[in-house]
Amino acid sequence: MLVAACSPTKKTAFAKDEFKEWAQTPPMGWNSWDCYGPTVEEHEVKANADYMAKELKSYGWEYVVVDIRWFVENDKAGGYNQTNPIYVIDQYGRYQPATNRFPSAKGEKGFKELADYVHSKGLKFGIHIMRGIPKKAVEEKMPIKGTNGITADQIYSTELQCEWLKDNYTIVASKPGAQEYYNSIFELYAAWGVDFIKIDDLSRPYHEGEINLIRNAIDNCGRKIVLSTSPGETPVEKAAHVKSHANMWRMVDDVWDTWPHITHLMEVCQKWYPYIAPGTWPDCDMIPLGRISVRGERGEDRMTRLTKDEQYTLMTLFTIFRSPLFFGGDLPSNDAFTKSLLTNKDVLKMHSESTAVKQLFQKDGKVAITSKNSKTGETYLAIFNMSDTPNVNVQVNLAELGVKEGAEITDMWSGKSLGKASAQFAQPLAPHASTLIKISK
């Protein structure tokens, strides 16, 4: 799915837009948030990396991402400890991994050894951060590395502070030292071997100034680090800017294992089809399947509450839309059905290779989405019954897709032949169900 796991240090800056080359297909991996919230530990990250290397790497899955608050020693499940968090931070105001959760970080090694472990599996390593500068760094007037005496309290603002997590303050992009602070943290992450970074609280409101600082910092850090902006509904009027600064950007808030989350996502996707392109991907969020909320934010330890039809619908939407795929469940806990959703070669080939993704219609609970494979000449078609009504007949005019009568139709999830194409393709669907087909020449 993209970048070499261990890019050599590059002394000169990356060229403008070179970052798009690092994600020519939609990134695929695992993220700790859905199952471990802000409490994931090193042994759990390694267990998921081990599973990915053994079971999923050959299918294109490659990123292992440690999500939020890895620098807090005493966080909790079901929310955040905002009363008396114990932060781990260095002398330059840069968060460090909590060693009671990540023992390999002892001796000021940061995530270097954990990243090396992930790389040794042929995978890539990622982390999550919040935008801005730590409140602790501001309060203690910590120096900013790479400046001549500028301190953290000289570059911050309390305006537009994240509403739901109060660890950081906003960085004022125009202040001397602002760029240097972001440069300093990405210098650190490059030294650790980070390949992917998810940066939170950038999208609502859209923090253009800090996004500019982040892009500059990555382009000058010497390492190819794929950038994901998160969360919330990125304003579509900012599409040109986000495409020129990030590899992927969230379209919605967190997607959990309830049907309304899926219907909302389907609606929001409508405005983002024109912006799907190699290197820059609208992001449907993590995949809340398998075993989630082991120590998560929402609900008790459970297998996903989505029915099998709803799980197929979610995966069909994510893959035909060409969203990045980041599985949120605990991988070692996967059952056979969950694994089958992640290892269907035909579906993943579509996800990786298709072009010209577009929605044909979305009305009265009926949805149709199509794309093409320019390498094979195949046409892909997904149809959905998003309503609660049974036996809804969803019909598509195949001639309008350039499909000739007599072409072979295959159900992509089952691999079964559905016969020869005629002028129309129609299928009755159960509530919340879908069908994904490929039509060969």
Side-chain angles (χ1 to χ4, degrees):
M1 173 182 104
L2 342 151
V3 191
C6 203
S7 310
T9 298
K10 182 176 179 178
K11 293 181 180 178
T12 57
F14 294 111
K16 179 177 170 57
D17 288 343
E18 187 174 346
F19 75 92
K20 296 178 183 179
E21 299 299 319
W22 312 340
Q24 285 291 289
T25 58
M28 298 167 58
W30 173 81
N31 180 292
S32 62
W33 170 249
D34 283 356
C35 45
Y36 296 109
T39 72
V40 71
E41 299 178 3
E42 184 167 355
H43 66 97
E44 292 159 334
V45 176
K46 287 183 173 181
N48 279 273
D50 292 346
Y51 181 99
M52 183 180 291
K54 181 180 178 182
E55 306 290 349
L56 301 180
K57 185 175 75 168
S58 62
Y59 295 90
W61 299 85
E62 61 177 350
Y63 286 97
V64 175
V65 181
V66 177
D67 209 88
I68 199 162
R69 273 191 146 195
W70 38 266
F71 46 81
V72 175
E73 292 184 353
N74 59 339
D75 222 323
K76 63 176 185 175
Y80 302 100
N81 178 2
Q82 300 203 65
T83 304
N84 60 340
I86 301 173
Y87 300 113
V88 183
I89 195 167
D90 74 4
Q91 70 270 33
Y92 296 114
R94 303 178 298 182
Y95 290 125
Q96 301 289 319
T99 58
N100 62 327
R101 294 168 51 198
F102 298 94
S104 70
K106 291 178 180 177
E108 300 182 352
K109 291 188 292 240
F111 274 129
K112 180 67 168 65
E113 288 195 5
L114 181 54
D116 286 348
Y117 181 87
V118 171
H119 293 154
S120 75
K121 300 284 181 177
L123 304 171
K124 296 169 187 170
F125 180 69
I127 60 173
H128 168 290
I129 64 170
M130 300 296 296
R131 69 169 176 89
I133 190 160
K135 288 170 62 178
K136 184 177 177 65
V138 170
E139 291 161 1
E140 298 186 13
K141 299 183 179 181
M142 293 181 171
I144 295 172
K145 189 176 182 184
T147 69
N148 185 20
I150 298 174
T151 52
D153 58 301
Q154 295 175 277
I155 68 167
Y156 87 105
S157 172
T158 58
E159 293 183 9
L160 299 177
Q161 185 184 15
C162 179
E163 295 180 356
W164 47 269
L165 188 59
K166 304 295 186 180
D167 295 335
N168 289 5
Y169 288 127
T170 296
I171 288 178
V172 181
S174 61
K175 292 277 191 179
Q179 184 65 67
E180 287 82 358
Y181 180 74
Y182 270 113
N183 290 349
S184 76
I185 63 174
F186 278 96
E187 175 188 80
L188 183 67
Y189 303 156
W192 288 348
V194 170
D195 305 296
F196 179 99
I197 190 154
K198 171 184 172 184
I199 305 187
D200 220 324
D201 197 45
L202 281 173
S203 302
R204 191 181 59 233
Y206 189 78
H207 292 273
E208 186 167 323
E210 288 198 66
I211 291 171
N212 291 338
L213 298 179
I214 292 162
R215 179 75 267 147
N216 289 337
I218 294 174
D219 285 346
N220 287 280
C221 79
R223 188 173 181 84
K224 299 174 181 179
I225 300 177
V226 169
L227 172 61
S228 166
T229 67
S230 180
E233 298 190 7
T234 301
V236 73
E237 58 268 24
K238 294 295 185 179
H241 185 268
V242 77
K243 278 177 64 70
S244 64
H245 288 75
N247 296 105
M248 50 190 274
W249 57 89
R250 284 273 291 280
M251 300 181 292
V252 293
D253 286 329
D254 289 0
V255 172
W256 284 98
D257 54 331
T258 72
W259 183 244
H261 281 94
I262 313 307
T263 57
H264 176 66
L265 179 58
M266 182 73 83
E267 292 172 5
V268 172
C269 282
Q270 294 184 89
K271 59 190 176 185
W272 286 108
Y273 286 94
Y275 303 101
I276 300 169
T280 56
W281 307 102
D283 179 14
C284 288
D285 191 29
M286 283 173 287
I287 298 169
L289 303 184
R291 184 187 177 194
I292 60 177
S293 212
V294 176
R295 295 190 306 278
E297 184 202 25
R298 303 282 180 94
E300 301 299 320
D301 187 350
R302 63 187 182 277
M303 294 300 284
T304 185
R305 293 172 292 198
L306 296 173
T307 67
K308 285 190 174 182
D309 275 347
E310 291 168 347
Q311 292 181 62
Y312 276 124
T313 289
L314 182 148
M315 289 300 297
T316 296
L317 172 61
F318 276 52
T319 53
I320 198 165
F321 186 81
R322 304 195 76 198
S323 170
L325 303 180
F326 279 82
F327 189 76
D330 180 60
L331 288 172
S333 302
N334 278 352
D335 57 17
F337 176 71
T338 304
K339 182 181 175 184
S340 75
L341 296 173
L342 308 181
T343 55
N344 184 300
K345 290 183 178 179
D346 255 6
V347 174
L348 294 175
K349 181 181 177 69
M350 172 192 71
H351 176 253
S352 175
E353 296 183 2
S354 62
T355 58
V357 184
K358 65 179 180 179
Q359 178 181 278
L360 300 174
F361 55 79
Q362 184 170 162
K363 187 177 180 181
D364 300 327
K366 301 177 183 179
V367 181
I369 304 168
T370 188
S371 63
K372 302 278 188 181
N373 190 319
S374 59
K375 296 180 181 180
T376 64
E378 293 168 334
T379 296
Y380 305 113
L381 176 64
I383 58 174
F384 304 84
N385 175 14
M386 303 300 291
S387 76
D388 297 328
T389 305
N391 297 315
V392 168
N393 195 53
V394 182
Q395 181 172 293
V396 175
N397 185 334
L398 294 183
E400 292 180 0
L401 304 183
V403 173
K404 295 181 179 178
E405 292 195 26
E408 184 69 29
I409 300 178
T410 304
D411 183 298
M412 294 178 67
W413 285 113
S414 69
K416 294 179 181 178
S417 173
L418 298 181
K420 304 293 184 180
S422 59
Q424 306 284 336
F425 179 81
Q427 194 165 61
L429 295 174
H432 308 179
S434 59
T435 294
L436 178 63
I437 62 172
K438 68 175 179 182
I439 308 167
S440 304
K441 279 186 173 181

